[in-house]
């Protein structure tokens, strides 16, 4: 049984190839026609049964009557001065979801959303202020890549990161089949090493992701003491740092595989050299890459981005501890497309200042 949309039409997107081929076979499609359907969806990126010359007329007409191709509509593409593009999609129920295309010299990365809003309530993130509206379906997750490829035919989108709106590990039942579609070598063809799922630290779901999917793992660490992490990331009250790192150390990672650890730098909160040293101790012996993200501002937030010298000193301290450390340069800032800026148009951003609970006073 494949999922259906609100009008009862069968959703073809977001169903991994073995299931889609089995479904097509049960409907009487010859194997060659079932393969052609898969290729039409994910290689040719077709949006209309009327233009699917690879399918027999009768098959095409039968599918057109009962099934659904695209589930998203590309509403707007906003290009930032640095080449980053924010793609705004419309869903069936009238919600807007966002992906960000980040072109680079060696790769082009699409940052996709997994939920509308988010339930994790991280204090420094704009998406959190929306709360969770709903999970995205596997079809809606895959369509972000399909429609981006279609809109940018000259860009080879080689990488996908689940770092847009939402907590992907809070929606694994839809994220896992979406990843299976993305890495299928007869379709969208992403390398398994180039799909990364980022989580705020849901420990049981981290284990499930690693067991059931070939994707790479990234974890948002963002603090080095439970006191600070409890205050800025409520998920820490359930899965504190010691539990999180114990789980990471026990993961059955492939040889040479590394976990990416993200660390959002918040001035006066988590950016001291003592923090850098505690971070080095936390990750000691864990195969990992550290990715420092100077905080991106959004209206109504009290946090501040540290000065570049402070970011550099934090990085230098970690490198002196022989840790693989990089700084995520801010991209797409002028279109509110940078990390933690997805979710609301700037004009709709909350006026009320959010005062993080229990946070130590931020030095100004
Ligand atoms: N929910 C997932 C993925 C989405 S957020 C997660 O938490 O990992 C992707 C990254 O952006 C996370 O590392 C998050 O900590 C970071 N982030 C959120 N708001 C930010 C902001 N305003 N500036 C910089 N990074 C931010």
């Amino acid at each position: 049984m494949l999922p259906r949309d609100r009008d009862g039409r069968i959703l073809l997107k977001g169903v991994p190839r073995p299931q889609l081929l089995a479904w097509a076979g049960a409907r009487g499609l010859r194997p060659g026609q079932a393969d052609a359907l898969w290729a039409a969806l994910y290689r040719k990126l077709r949006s209309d049964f009327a233009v699917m010359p690879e399918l027999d007329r009768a098959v095409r007409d039968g599918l057109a009557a009962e099934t659904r191709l695209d589930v998203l509509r590309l509403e707007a593409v906003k290009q930032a001065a640095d080449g980053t593009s924010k793609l705004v999609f419309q869903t069936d129920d009238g919600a807007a979801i966002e992906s960000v295309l980040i072109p680079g010299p060696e790769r082009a990365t699409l940052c996709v959303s997994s939920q509308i809003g988010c339930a994790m309530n991280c204090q420094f993130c704009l998406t959190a202020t929306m709360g969770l509206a709903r999970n995205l379906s596997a079809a809606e997750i895959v369509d972000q890549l399909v429609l981006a490829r279609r809109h940018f035919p000259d860009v080879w989108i080689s990488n996908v990161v689940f770092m847009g709106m939402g907590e992907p590990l809070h929606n694994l039942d839809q994220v896992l089949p979406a990843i299976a579609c993305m890495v299928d070598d007869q379709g969208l063809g992403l390398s398994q090493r180039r799909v990364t799922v980022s989580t705020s630290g849901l420990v049981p779901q981290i284990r499930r992701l690693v067991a059931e999917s070939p994707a790479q793992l990234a974890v948002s660490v963002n603090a080095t003491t439970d006191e600070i992490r409890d205050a800025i990331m409520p998920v820490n009250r359930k899965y504190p740092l010691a539990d999180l790192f114990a789980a990471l150390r026990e993961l059955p990672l492939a040889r040479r595989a590394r976990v990416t650890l993200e660390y959002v730098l918040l001035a006066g909160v988590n950016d001291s050299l003592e923090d850098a040293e505690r971070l080095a101790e936390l990750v000691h012996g864990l195969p990992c890459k550290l990715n420092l993200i100077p905080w991106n501002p959004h209206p109504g937030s009290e946090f501040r981005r540290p000065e570049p010298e402070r970011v550099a000193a934090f990085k230098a301290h970690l490198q002196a501890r022989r840790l693989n450390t990089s700084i995520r340069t801010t991209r797409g800032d002028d279109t509110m497309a940078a990390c933690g800026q997805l979710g609301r148009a700037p004009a709709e951003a909350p006026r009320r200042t959010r005062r993080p609970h229990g946070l130590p006073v931020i030095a100004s």
Side-chain angles (χ1 to χ4, degrees):
M1 278 285 278
L2 300 193
R4 291 175 184 263
D5 71 6
R6 297 190 297 183
D7 301 327
R9 286 197 297 169
I10 297 166
L11 294 173
L12 297 180
K13 298 268 185 81
V15 180
R17 184 156 55 103
Q19 282 98 297
L20 191 75
L21 297 191
W23 173 86
R27 267 183 78 94
L29 269 70
R30 286 180 285 108
Q33 288 282 287
D35 289 336
L37 173 62
W38 180 265
L41 293 177
Y42 295 121
R43 278 175 105 89
K44 310 230 165 85
L45 313 174
R46 307 261 194 236
S47 59
D48 189 349
F49 284 107
V51 260
M52 278 201 199
E54 54 276 4
L55 290 184
D56 296 345
R57 184 68 195 259
V59 170
R60 225 161 58 196
D61 292 348
L63 291 174
E66 276 180 71
T67 68
R68 178 85 187 270
L69 294 171
D70 291 1
V71 293
L72 295 181
R73 212 156 40 85
L74 183 57
E75 278 275 295
V77 178
K78 299 176 190 167
Q79 200 174 4
D82 60 13
T84 304
S85 298
K86 176 150 112 174
L87 295 90
V88 183
F89 301 100
Q90 179 101 36
T91 64
D92 277 354
D93 53 351
I97 61 175
E98 299 173 329
S99 311
V100 182
L101 179 66
I102 308 150
E106 284 157 23
R107 57 173 175 244
T109 302
L110 187 71
C111 177
V112 300
S113 296
S114 56
Q115 298 180 314
I116 299 178
C118 186
M120 306 312 293
N121 201 21
C122 298
Q123 297 294 302
F124 47 81
C125 179
L126 178 62
T127 305
T129 63
M130 298 171 67
L132 176 64
R134 70 168 170 88
N135 283 327
L136 293 182
S137 66
E140 289 168 327
I141 297 169
V142 170
D143 246 3
Q144 295 172 60
L145 176 58
V146 171
L147 272 64
R149 282 246 175 105
R150 202 187 281 151
H151 187 79
F152 294 101
D154 302 329
V155 179
W156 179 250
I157 300 174
S158 56
N159 293 50
V160 164
V161 294
F162 282 78
M163 297 182 189
M165 271 194 283
E167 168 51 57
L169 297 198
H170 200 191
N171 185 21
L172 263 182
D173 288 341
Q174 301 301 316
V175 166
L176 290 173
I179 293 173
C181 293
M182 290 173 174
V183 303
D184 188 276
D185 59 1
Q186 307 291 309
L188 292 165
L190 290 181
S191 157
Q192 302 179 352
R193 290 187 309 280
R194 292 171 178 267
V195 175
T196 302
V197 177
S198 178
T199 179
S200 56
L202 294 170
V203 167
Q205 290 85 340
I206 288 174
R207 297 199 187 97
R208 180 169 168 216
L209 175 81
V210 170
E212 296 183 28
S213 138
Q216 309 302 304
L217 175 67
V219 179
S220 302
V221 178
N222 297 354
T224 60
T225 66
D226 282 325
E227 187 193 358
I228 302 286
R229 202 163 187 271
D230 279 351
I232 62 174
M233 299 181 72
V235 65
N236 195 68
R237 299 176 204 158
K238 190 149 185 201
Y239 303 111
L241 283 165
D243 296 10
L244 176 61
F245 276 89
L248 295 180
R249 284 174 205 288
E250 282 162 16
L251 290 177
L253 292 179
R255 235 158 51 89
R256 290 199 297 272
R258 283 162 186 273
V259 179
T260 298
L261 300 177
E262 297 154 285
Y263 193 94
V264 178
L265 285 162
L266 305 164
V269 176
N270 66 0
D271 66 338
S272 69
L273 291 182
E274 291 74 35
D275 282 302
E277 180 55 26
R278 276 193 297 267
L279 185 56
E281 284 162 20
L282 269 174
V283 308
H284 184 75
L286 178 71
C288 65
K289 290 183 284 202
L290 293 171
N291 196 202
L292 306 177
I293 316 174
W295 181 71
N296 295 310
H298 49 82
S301 178
E302 282 202 326
F303 291 103
R304 287 183 302 114
R305 180 191 298 197
E307 297 301 323
E309 303 75 51
R310 202 151 165 105
V311 174
F314 199 94
K315 176 182 176 193
H317 190 92
L318 293 166
Q319 285 181 322
R321 292 282 179 274
R322 301 189 170 282
L323 293 165
N324 177 335
T325 310
S326 58
I327 296 174
R328 190 180 296 175
T329 45
T330 297
R331 304 283 302 264
D333 210 9
D334 52 337
T335 51
M336 289 293 282
C339 305
Q341 293 186 323
L342 296 184
R344 285 172 194 250
E348 300 163 27
R351 273 211 184 166
R352 185 172 50 88
T353 301
R354 300 167 72 238
R355 184 174 291 281
H357 263 303
L359 251 193
V361 176
I362 303 170
S364 54

